Amino acid sequence: MQDRLLELFHKYVNDSCSEEELSELFDLFSLPGNKITVKELIAQTIEDIYQHPEKINILLSNTDAENVLSQILTNTPDIATKTDRQPKKLFSRWRYQAAAAMVAALVGVSYYYYAHRSVNTPLQEVAQTTPNPLNITSGGNKATLTLNNGQTIVLDSAQNGLLAMQGTGRIVKPKSGEIIYSTEEKNDEKILYNNISTPRGGQYSLQLSDGSKVWLNAASSIRFPVVFPATERKVYITGEAYFEVKHLVGARDQSVPFIVEADNKSAGKAGFSVEVLGTRFNINSYSNEPFASTTLLEGKVKVQSHSSLQTRLLSPNQQVNMARNGEMNLNEQVDVNSVIAWKNGYSQFSAVPLSAVMRQIERWYDVNVQFEDHVTDVKFTGKLKRNENLSEFLKILDLNNIKYAVNNSTIIIKK
């Protein structure tokens, strides 16, 4: 029986439990003879997160997560024996919160399961996880391509194959769904620009004619040449985009620069530019965010503010944040996995204020969010799959005792 408990527990942690297996797992949790085994599994989970802190699968406020973990540790002497360390010595603050989030996820889902399964369980004894009737689906691959002549193509409904010819450039949509630009000619006499834009609740990816790849987040756009000129590659973006730039050598064996111009009202009238040679990086330039950010994963980039004329040279795992006046602040050690989680199908947060979380929810689910006056801006740590319905995220608000109301497609966060 304990072998089965161990098997189901690990399937749950890896998010691979079926509904039947989840039901069986919680039945095993409730058996008195399994109490010690459950404590040991929780202890091992905490150790695993210490080694792999990215294993978080639910959003919890820092306070609630730490309270849950503290209660478990207080009432579970086996954990102290197994780890031979006290919790605050075992974890840095972030890893402590990560462990709390994972363990609280287990406890929270268990509470939620029994609250809806057993008529004998008093509701006041479990977390408030009553499902909300709002059932808005998550975003998906949605975008519009605008050609140089003004013609528009809705990419998500366009048939696979050749979409258009622009000068010497070919635009193809393969079965995989992204858009691929290619050319047999390296030089066009006239530069023709295309534009791809995503709505709220949309995302899309494309490959430029030089082989560089771009992923667009929701409510974003990119303007780019169908075929790049020989001496420079320059594109223009709004919103958020992730780039994997191909290193390109031109005449006289010199590298051809790749420049991203970001239009962001919060970063000054002229925005800013990012110059690269061959690298992977993310730019977040949403105008409703308090600052614009450039995060480097690989290679080197130079970020320049057109208003303050400041420049920063980034190394991997560094991020530069640009304020409204163009002033830059360098973050020398950033969690890049959280930054690009959107590109990999997740929303991931590490001590992020609720207001910032809800701005992402607005863009991805195409809803509006309002905050009543004097709402406490609690911070969240966790990870949520982006293909979940909005109702799944609302359960997390319930779990954290955050009061809200839903009016059509508007979520009102109450005090």
Side-chain angles (χ1 to χ4, degrees):
M1 182 180 297
Q2 290 190 348
D3 288 343
R4 180 60 173 167
L5 172 61
L6 182 63
E7 176 189 356
L8 292 176
F9 181 87
H10 285 299
K11 291 190 72 173
Y12 170 79
V13 170
N14 291 308
D15 198 24
S16 60
C17 261
S18 66
E19 291 186 8
E20 293 77 13
E21 289 172 330
L22 194 62
S23 174
E24 182 183 354
L25 174 63
F26 292 139
D27 284 337
L28 292 174
F29 280 164
S30 65
L31 296 178
N34 287 333
K35 184 177 180 180
I36 293 177
T37 302
V38 170
K39 290 178 181 180
E40 291 176 348
L41 287 173
I42 291 174
Q44 185 58 55
T45 301
I46 295 174
E47 285 286 358
D48 288 345
I49 295 173
Y50 178 70
Q51 298 296 327
H52 304 284
E54 70 276 6
K55 292 184 179 180
I56 312 170
N57 61 1
I58 194 167
L59 300 179
L60 287 170
S61 69
N62 294 350
T63 301
D64 286 349
E66 290 186 5
N67 285 342
V68 171
L69 181 58
S70 177
Q71 291 172 10
I72 292 174
L73 293 176
T74 300
N75 295 293
T76 311
D78 305 64
I79 292 179
T81 301
K82 189 175 183 66
T83 63
D84 198 31
R85 283 169 287 184
Q86 294 300 315
K88 291 190 178 179
K89 293 181 180 178
L90 173 63
F91 303 111
S92 66
R93 179 169 180 79
W94 190 89
R95 284 177 174 170
Y96 182 70
Q97 293 163 354
M102 176 64 83
V103 175
L106 176 64
V107 176
V109 173
S110 177
Y111 281 165
Y112 175 73
Y113 173 78
Y114 280 112
H116 292 82
R117 179 173 183 266
S118 175
V119 295
N120 297 321
T121 304
L123 291 179
Q124 62 268 25
E125 294 182 8
V126 299
Q128 297 178 6
T129 51
T130 305
N132 191 285
L134 188 64
N135 195 32
I136 294 176
T137 57
S138 65
N141 288 333
K142 303 173 189 176
T144 300
L145 166 64
T146 303
L147 303 178
N148 186 74
N149 60 9
Q151 178 186 351
T152 60
I153 300 174
V154 179
L155 295 178
D156 37 304
S157 60
Q159 292 186 349
N160 297 334
L162 180 65
L163 297 183
M165 292 287 297
Q166 293 267 277
T168 61
R170 291 166 49 88
I171 309 169
V172 176
K173 180 183 178 183
K175 290 182 180 180
S176 53
E178 78 270 44
I179 298 302
I180 296 178
Y181 281 73
S182 62
T183 180
E184 295 181 359
E185 301 286 340
K186 295 300 181 184
N187 296 305
D188 258 353
E189 291 184 3
K190 181 180 179 182
I191 299 179
L192 304 178
Y193 283 92
N194 280 188
N195 187 88
I196 292 180
S197 59
T198 58
R200 295 208 307 179
Q203 62 182 17
Y204 223 85
S205 62
L206 66 147
Q207 179 175 298
L208 302 172
S209 62
D210 67 336
S212 298
K213 296 181 179 181
V214 186
W215 286 257
L216 285 179
N217 204 348
S220 303
S221 69
I222 180 170
R223 181 173 178 262
F224 55 95
V226 174
V227 178
F228 287 110
T231 57
E232 183 183 73
R233 299 172 289 171
K234 182 180 285 190
V235 301
Y236 305 81
I237 71 162
T238 64
E240 185 168 22
Y242 170 78
F243 289 84
E244 292 184 354
V245 175
K246 184 175 181 179
H247 186 257
L248 192 62
V249 177
R252 300 178 181 177
D253 294 329
Q254 291 184 336
S255 297
V256 180
F258 190 103
I259 299 173
V260 182
E261 293 282 355
D263 179 13
N264 179 266
K265 295 178 182 178
S266 67
K269 293 182 179 179
F272 62 99
S273 63
V274 177
E275 182 178 348
V276 305
L277 295 176
T279 187
R280 297 190 296 137
F281 61 99
N282 189 86
I283 298 178
N284 184 328
S285 63
Y286 288 114
S287 59
N288 66 340
E289 294 293 343
F291 51 78
S293 64
T294 301
T295 308
L296 182 64
L297 285 78
E298 180 182 290
K300 282 193 175 182
V301 301
K302 182 175 71 174
V303 183
Q304 179 174 4
S305 167
H306 297 326
S307 56
S308 70
L309 301 182
Q310 286 185 325
T311 61
R312 293 283 187 182
L313 188 65
L314 299 186
S315 297
N317 299 321
Q318 290 185 340
Q319 179 184 78
V320 64
N321 297 320
M322 188 179 302
R324 293 180 180 275
N325 61 1
E327 294 292 323
M328 295 183 180
N329 290 308
L330 182 64
N331 184 349
E332 296 192 40
Q333 195 64 40
V334 68
D335 180 10
V336 295
N337 290 324
S338 292
V339 173
I340 67 165
W342 66 269
K343 175 245 177 191
N344 297 324
Y346 291 91
S347 296
Q348 186 170 333
F349 308 100
S350 177
V352 175
L354 176 62
S355 55
V357 172
M358 297 310 293
R359 285 195 295 272
Q360 292 197 32
I361 295 301
E362 280 187 313
R363 291 191 287 263
W364 185 237
Y365 290 99
D366 190 16
V367 295
N368 298 313
V369 176
Q370 297 177 3
F371 282 79
E372 288 189 347
D373 292 339
H374 309 300
V375 173
T376 302
D377 205 2
V378 297
K379 293 185 177 181
F380 281 81
T381 293
K383 188 174 181 180
L384 180 71
K385 290 183 178 179
R386 287 194 9 138
N387 62 2
E388 298 282 5
N389 286 355
L390 179 59
S391 57
E392 293 303 310
F393 175 77
L394 294 178
K395 291 176 185 177
I396 296 170
L397 295 185
D398 288 326
L399 186 64
N400 286 278
N401 295 317
I402 295 173
K403 297 179 180 180
Y404 63 90
V406 177
N407 183 7
N408 294 323
S409 59
T410 298
I411 302 171
I412 304 168
I413 306 297
K414 295 179 172 292
K415 48 185 174 176

